[in-house]
Amino acid sequence: MIVTLLHRLKELPRVVHRLSVMMKPQVVFVLGGPGAGKGTQCARIVENYSYTHLSAGDLLREERSRSGSEFGQLIDTYIKEGKIVPVEITISLLKKAMEETMKADDKNFRFLIDGFPRNQDNLQGWNHVMDGKADVKFVLFFDCGNEVCIDRCLERGKSSGRTDDNRESLEKRIQTYLQSTRPIIEQYEKQGKVRTIDASQSVDEVFADVKNILEKEG
């Protein structure tokens, strides 16, 4: 009996490893208008909690500038016009990033996906491709007035080098957000999955609210 018990104890690390390999990504969607502070707050969450931050926008911008990218020119046109990039491209980049992160360290299975899903097409694409492959825990919604968002982005544009941090692009992006992304947030609200934060506060005040939510969610 003791020999059997010892054998089982020796097997335990392998069982735990197999379970962690089978672990599906645990996803929190991070949504809010341009300039709501999503990236800033995600960086703080990563510093303090065991999450990996994936920004749909950053992944698209990296792909746009990657030498030899088959999607680079297409992504560039969509971003400059303030339009939403085709869902197939965005989801393939997100899926690849999650797989690479978990392959490098199977303890990294919790993800903040920032700036996605932005519209119904995004959501349907995600449900089609990722159904059963990832668990969406909740939506972290940074709620902020349009003028505050525009002012923040214009300030950021002085040093960010982003081609879309100008008033014309920003107004288009805010219209796209109101028409396309807000209905997605409302859909998740009906499922009881939205955690709303007043993002017009200072960075520290917003993060205090974020911490309360993450600690409550576990």
Side-chain angles (χ1 to χ4, degrees), residues 9-192:
L9 286 171
K10 279 172 71 177
E11 284 291 306
L12 194 58
R14 291 183 195 175
V15 173
V16 170
H17 178 70
R18 280 201 298 273
L19 284 170
S20 63
V21 166
M22 292 187 291
M23 179 72 75
K24 288 189 287 190
Q26 307 291 295
V27 171
V28 173
F29 287 141
V30 181
L31 294 175
K38 299 183 297 294
T40 301
Q41 293 300 324
C42 284
R44 287 211 170 183
I45 294 168
V46 169
E47 280 173 24
N48 291 274
Y49 299 90
S50 54
Y51 277 92
T52 299
H53 175 214
L54 299 177
S55 161
D58 286 351
L59 289 170
L60 289 165
R61 281 185 284 275
E62 283 165 23
E63 186 65 19
R64 176 179 61 172
S65 59
R66 187 173 65 82
S67 178
S69 167
E70 61 180 305
F71 304 124
Q73 187 60 53
L74 182 69
I75 292 170
D76 188 53
T77 303
Y78 274 86
I79 287 177
K80 280 182 179 168
E81 288 294 313
K83 292 179 182 173
I84 292 168
V85 173
V87 65
E88 295 81 7
I89 297 173
T90 309
I91 291 177
S92 79
L93 295 175
L94 287 167
K95 188 167 180 280
K96 182 182 170 193
M98 285 192 289
E99 286 168 354
E100 286 176 355
T101 301
M102 291 176 72
K103 192 175 175 184
D105 185 346
D106 57 24
K107 290 192 293 294
N108 291 335
F109 59 87
R110 301 206 303 180
F111 296 91
L112 298 165
I113 298 187
D114 165 9
F116 184 93
R118 291 189 177 220
N119 61 7
Q120 193 64 39
D121 187 43
N122 276 187
L123 184 58
Q124 286 172 350
W126 173 272
N127 290 339
H128 177 69
V129 175
M130 300 304 292
D131 184 41
K133 296 174 187 170
D135 289 330
V136 178
K137 307 308 285 180
F138 59 93
V139 174
L140 202 52
F141 170 37
F142 291 97
D143 193 10
C144 193
N146 296 345
E147 278 307 312
V148 174
C149 286
I150 287 173
D151 289 345
R152 285 178 179 174
C153 287
L154 291 174
E155 189 59 36
R156 179 177 69 187
K158 293 174 184 176
S159 57
S160 70
R162 281 179 53 166
T163 56
D164 56 348
D165 275 345
N166 61 75
R167 185 165 284 275
E168 189 183 350
S169 281
L170 283 165
E171 284 172 358
K172 286 180 186 173
R173 284 162 64 200
I174 282 174
Q175 280 311 306
T176 300
Y177 161 72
L178 292 172
Q179 290 164 10
S180 303
T181 310
R182 281 306 291 256
I184 300 302
I185 295 164
E186 286 159 15
Q187 280 184 52
Y188 276 113
E189 267 176 334
K190 288 173 187 167
Q191 298 171 32

Side-chain angles (χ1 to χ4, degrees), residues 199-214:
S200 64
Q201 307 174 93
S202 72
V203 171
D204 288 340
E205 286 169 328
V206 172
F207 189 59
D209 288 349
V210 169
K211 280 169 71 176
N212 287 337
I213 287 167
L214 291 179

